Amino acid sequence: MNVFIIGTGLIGGSFAIDIKAAFNEALIYGIDQNEENLNKALALGVIDNKASLKGLKDATIVIIAIPVDATVTIISEVLDVVSDDCLVFDVGSTKQKLCEVVSNHHKRRNYLAAHPIAGTEFSGPEAAVANLYRGKTNIVCEVEKTAFKLQEKGMEIFSRLGMRIRYMDPVSHDKHIAYVSHLSHISSFMLGKTVIEKEKNERDIFDMAGSGFASTVRLAKSSPAMWAPIFKHNKENVIETLQEYITNLTQFKELMEKDDFDEIYKEMESTNHIKSILKGIN
Amino acid sequence: MNVFIIGTGLIGGSFAIDIKAAFNEALIYGIDQNEENLNKALALGVIDNKASLKGLKDATIVIIAIPVDATVTIISEVLDVVSDDCLVFDVGSTKQKLCEVVSNHHKRRNYLAAHPIAGTEFSGPEAAVANLYRGKTNIVCEVEKTAFKLQEKGMEIFSRLGMRIRYMDPVSHDKHIAYVSHLSHISSFMLGKTVIEKEKNERDIFDMAGSGFASTVRLAKSSPAMWAPIFKHNKENVIETLQEYITNLTQFKELMEKDDFDEIYKEMESTNHIKSILKGIN
């Protein structure tokens, strides 16, 4: 079983580690345009061999784990090279553009659109960890457009890695993920920006920051190379969520300005309800 | 050593637990207007005895750990009752109003204004935990206004509990804490609100939420009873930070609207710098 991982960073590398552990017969090939990362992945034992796109003709499985704009650029070439029995899946955070791009490819049936809801704020092969996907949701889009035998192959991997599958159309995926993932990243980046801008004398002031601040700005450590393309691909949905967020913040500020702290209390109390919603998320 | 804790919730209860562990001779008395919480604190062993404000005349130490508006209301009465050798300190998240209120009290020298930067998003005596304060920063305001022997008493407690002390004037405290703590809470509450409002069909959609979302909205679980008074007390500073945050979010949205994803990349890249700042915070 020849598994080719395109993009040997946090996400691709973590797939490599788990697949090697779950499938004795798996040989992991890494492809990365960043030669330094590729060498690191090899040195760390995340991959068994370095490879190039030409090598994909011998692939059993191809996992594309690079920024979403790069995936859109490369996907047709990948499908052109692979054999009829090869499953290609990507793990990107937006699905609509990608599904559009492959829709008329003659090997559309070799492709499965996936989005495992897993990750950390770190990046690169050294950030790859075992069991990143265990217990996590994997959203699969347009499953009916993938060859049945290759669906089975994908599900076997997802299942051995401990993922729960949810099926969704790509338009709904991109709309909802804007709320529960993309908006969080912007809120966190802009919180970090606001505080850094104001507090020039960092060493002193950040002594005052506690675990609450650290938790809220954690996502501001995320990779711009990964996230700028996500915002670009999901522009309309993200702008909509962002506008709603800004409206809610502005309304909160207005309540403060008119000293309506009873209403502020009620707003917070009703949002406390998030407790029960979050219980299922680790 | 009679330690009276006014407010036997997360913060007061955690002080009780650590002081009992650090001082063999400590007897912990709990005061709480919520009789149910007080009974819980007793049943959990967080406090040794229930008490009332009248009992404070026998106190060696009084710790006030209730919402900041309640502290402002009660502080003069507490100082009136305690003996000349008793140290009274509070642990509230705003310091300016409180320092103003006590400034002319004839027992001002018995009071120490403190703010340990520690806590979790949970509340009540069952949320109290050991070692909450270990390694955390404790901001002490107007230390020169507290009797020297009582300062020493306070520092002995803070030191045995493992806290680092930072001295600051109350005006600066309230200004900076708005950025590194109060704003995070609003950003988190409004993020929770935005997503809950939009995603009525929660059970389905929150399957899609990952640890990033959970981390960013964690503070939206915080107690409104604690936080509405904090926002009220620190109104001017919080409104200022909130306006800057809204301006940054609006600018981000405008960059998206004009497809300037290069600039968005740069914004995120420069905010990534938060990594090194956060290293010191656990």
Side-chain angles (χ1 to χ4, degrees):
Chain A
M1 180 165 135
N2 294 327
V3 180
F4 283 69
I5 312 262
I6 305 180
T8 55
L10 160 71
I11 297 296
S14 298
F15 262 107
I17 291 171
D18 280 3
I19 289 176
K20 238 158 91 167
F23 297 86
N24 281 329
E25 70 281 22
L27 257 177
I28 312 284
Y29 295 82
I31 300 177
D32 204 308
Q33 64 171 16
N34 181 331
E35 191 69 21
E36 195 189 324
N37 271 357
L38 195 57
N39 286 330
K40 262 191 219 164
L42 189 65
L44 291 164
V46 167
I47 60 170
D48 299 312
N49 297 291
K50 300 201 277 182
S52 69
L53 290 179
K54 282 180 196 161
L56 294 179
K57 63 179 182 353
D58 301 318
T60 321
I61 308 279
V62 179
I63 303 175
I64 309 181
I66 54 181
V68 289
D69 56 343
T71 305
V72 163
T73 305
I74 213 182
I75 184 79
S76 296
E77 191 183 342
V78 170
L79 287 172
D80 286 344
V81 180
V82 298
S83 77
D84 280 351
D85 301 327
C86 174
L87 169 68
V88 176
F89 69 88
D90 84 302
V91 294
S93 191
T94 54
K95 295 268 80 81
Q96 196 180 346
K97 274 216 169 56
L98 196 50
C99 285
E100 276 166 23
V101 163
V102 296
S103 61
N104 292 316
H105 196 284
H106 69 285
K107 284 192 186 147
R108 171 65 184 87
R109 293 173 63 76
N110 289 72
Y111 168 68
L112 184 76
H115 178 199
I117 311 290
T120 71
E121 68 275 31
F122 305 110
S123 42
E126 60 275 37
V129 286
N131 291 313
L132 181 64
Y133 303 105
R134 190 150 304 280
K136 303 295 165 56
T137 299
N138 187 10
I139 302 172
V140 169
C141 295
E142 298 189 335
V143 68
E144 70 285 358
K145 298 193 178 172
T146 306
F148 184 64
K149 283 196 172 168
L150 298 181
Q151 285 179 33
E152 282 185 321
K153 214 184 241 185
M155 294 310 151
E156 175 72 17
I157 292 175
F158 303 149
S159 156
R160 289 215 201 168
L161 266 56
M163 287 185 259
R164 303 156 55 215
I165 307 299
R166 271 203 65 184
Y167 299 98
M168 199 174 249
D169 70 275
V171 174
S172 300
H173 169 275
D174 285 13
K175 184 174 147 56
H176 293 303
I177 206 76
Y179 281 94
V180 296
S181 166
H182 302 174
L183 179 59
S184 303
H185 282 78
I186 298 175
S187 95
S188 194
F189 267 108
M190 290 301 101
L191 181 65
K193 183 186 175 181
T194 305
V195 178
I196 290 174
E197 268 179 352
K198 196 64 184 186
E199 304 293 4
K200 305 267 150 61
N201 184 0
E202 291 154 15
R203 218 170 299 184
D204 274 6
I205 294 311
F206 287 94
D207 267 6
M208 296 176 72
S211 60
F213 179 69
S215 164
T216 321
V217 297
R218 178 167 74 84
L219 297 179
K221 302 181 199 170
S222 303
S223 156
M226 198 58 73
W227 281 93
I230 289 172
F231 298 141
K232 191 174 175 180
H233 270 205
N234 207 13
K235 180 180 158 180
E236 279 71 29
N237 288 316
V238 170
I239 286 176
E240 187 191 312
T241 66
L242 197 45
Q243 183 51 58
E244 286 167 20
Y245 184 49
I246 291 169
T247 301
N248 282 327
L249 287 162
T250 305
Q251 191 201 0
F252 192 96
K253 186 170 76 81
E254 285 164 1
L255 287 174
M256 284 190 68
E257 281 162 350
K258 57 183 181 185
D259 288 313
D260 193 349
F261 291 94
D262 290 342
E263 190 55 35
I264 281 179
Y265 184 103
K266 280 182 211 154
E267 288 259 316
M268 291 193 283
E269 195 177 36
S270 69
T271 306
N272 269 173
H273 165 53
I274 200 93
K275 277 180 203 172
S276 58
I277 293 173
L278 290 178
K279 247 174 207 158
I281 308 173
N282 51 7
Chain B
M1 180 165 135
N2 294 326
V3 181
F4 283 68
I5 311 262
I6 307 180
T8 55
L10 160 70
I11 296 296
S14 297
F15 263 105
I17 291 170
D18 280 2
I19 289 176
K20 240 159 88 170
F23 298 85
N24 281 328
E25 70 281 20
L27 258 177
I28 311 284
Y29 295 83
I31 299 178
D32 204 308
Q33 65 171 17
N34 181 331
E35 191 68 22
E36 195 189 324
N37 271 356
L38 196 57
N39 288 329
K40 261 191 220 164
L42 190 65
L44 290 165
V46 168
I47 60 170
D48 299 313
N49 298 290
K50 299 200 277 184
S52 69
L53 289 179
K54 283 179 196 160
L56 293 180
K57 65 178 180 355
D58 302 317
T60 322
I61 308 279
V62 179
I63 303 174
I64 310 181
I66 54 182
V68 288
D69 55 343
T71 304
V72 164
T73 305
I74 213 181
I75 184 80
S76 296
E77 191 183 343
V78 170
L79 287 172
D80 286 342
V81 179
V82 297
S83 77
D84 280 349
D85 301 327
C86 175
L87 169 69
V88 177
F89 70 87
D90 84 303
V91 295
S93 191
T94 55
K95 296 266 80 77
Q96 196 180 346
K97 276 219 167 55
L98 196 50
C99 285
E100 277 165 23
V101 164
V102 296
S103 62
N104 293 316
H105 196 284
H106 68 286
K107 284 193 187 145
R108 171 65 185 86
R109 293 174 63 77
N110 290 72
Y111 168 68
L112 184 76
H115 178 200
I117 311 290
T120 70
E121 68 276 30
F122 306 110
S123 43
E126 60 274 36
V129 286
N131 292 313
L132 181 63
Y133 303 105
R134 190 150 303 279
K136 304 294 164 57
T137 299
N138 187 11
I139 302 172
V140 169
C141 295
E142 297 188 336
V143 68
E144 70 285 358
K145 297 193 178 171
T146 306
F148 184 65
K149 284 197 173 170
L150 298 181
Q151 285 179 32
E152 283 185 322
K153 214 183 240 185
M155 294 309 151
E156 175 71 18
I157 293 175
F158 303 149
S159 156
R160 290 215 201 168
L161 266 56
M163 287 185 259
R164 302 156 56 213
I165 307 299
R166 270 205 65 184
Y167 299 99
M168 198 174 252
D169 69 275
V171 174
S172 299
H173 169 275
D174 284 13
K175 184 175 148 52
H176 293 303
I177 206 74
Y179 281 93
V180 296
S181 166
H182 302 174
L183 179 59
S184 302
H185 283 78
I186 299 175
S187 95
S188 194
F189 267 110
M190 290 302 101
L191 180 66
K193 183 185 176 184
T194 305
V195 178
I196 290 175
E197 268 179 353
K198 196 65 186 187
E199 303 292 5
K200 304 268 150 59
N201 185 1
E202 293 153 14
R203 218 170 300 185
D204 275 5
I205 294 312
F206 287 94
D207 267 6
M208 295 177 73
S211 59
F213 178 69
S215 164
T216 322
V217 298
R218 178 168 75 85
L219 297 179
K221 302 181 199 171
S222 303
S223 156
M226 198 59 73
W227 281 94
I230 290 173
F231 298 140
K232 192 173 176 179
H233 270 207
N234 207 14
K235 180 179 158 181
E236 279 72 28
N237 289 316
V238 170
I239 286 175
E240 187 190 311
T241 65
L242 197 45
Q243 184 51 58
E244 286 167 20
Y245 184 49
I246 291 168
T247 300
N248 282 327
L249 287 162
T250 304
Q251 192 201 359
F252 192 96
K253 186 170 78 79
E254 285 163 1
L255 288 174
M256 285 191 67
E257 280 162 350
K258 56 184 182 184
D259 289 313
D260 192 350
F261 291 95
D262 290 342
E263 190 55 35
I264 281 179
Y265 184 102
K266 280 181 211 156
E267 288 259 316
M268 291 194 282
E269 196 178 36
S270 69
T271 305
N272 269 174
H273 165 52
I274 200 91
K275 277 181 202 171
S276 58
I277 294 172
L278 290 177
K279 246 174 207 159
I281 309 172
N282 50 9

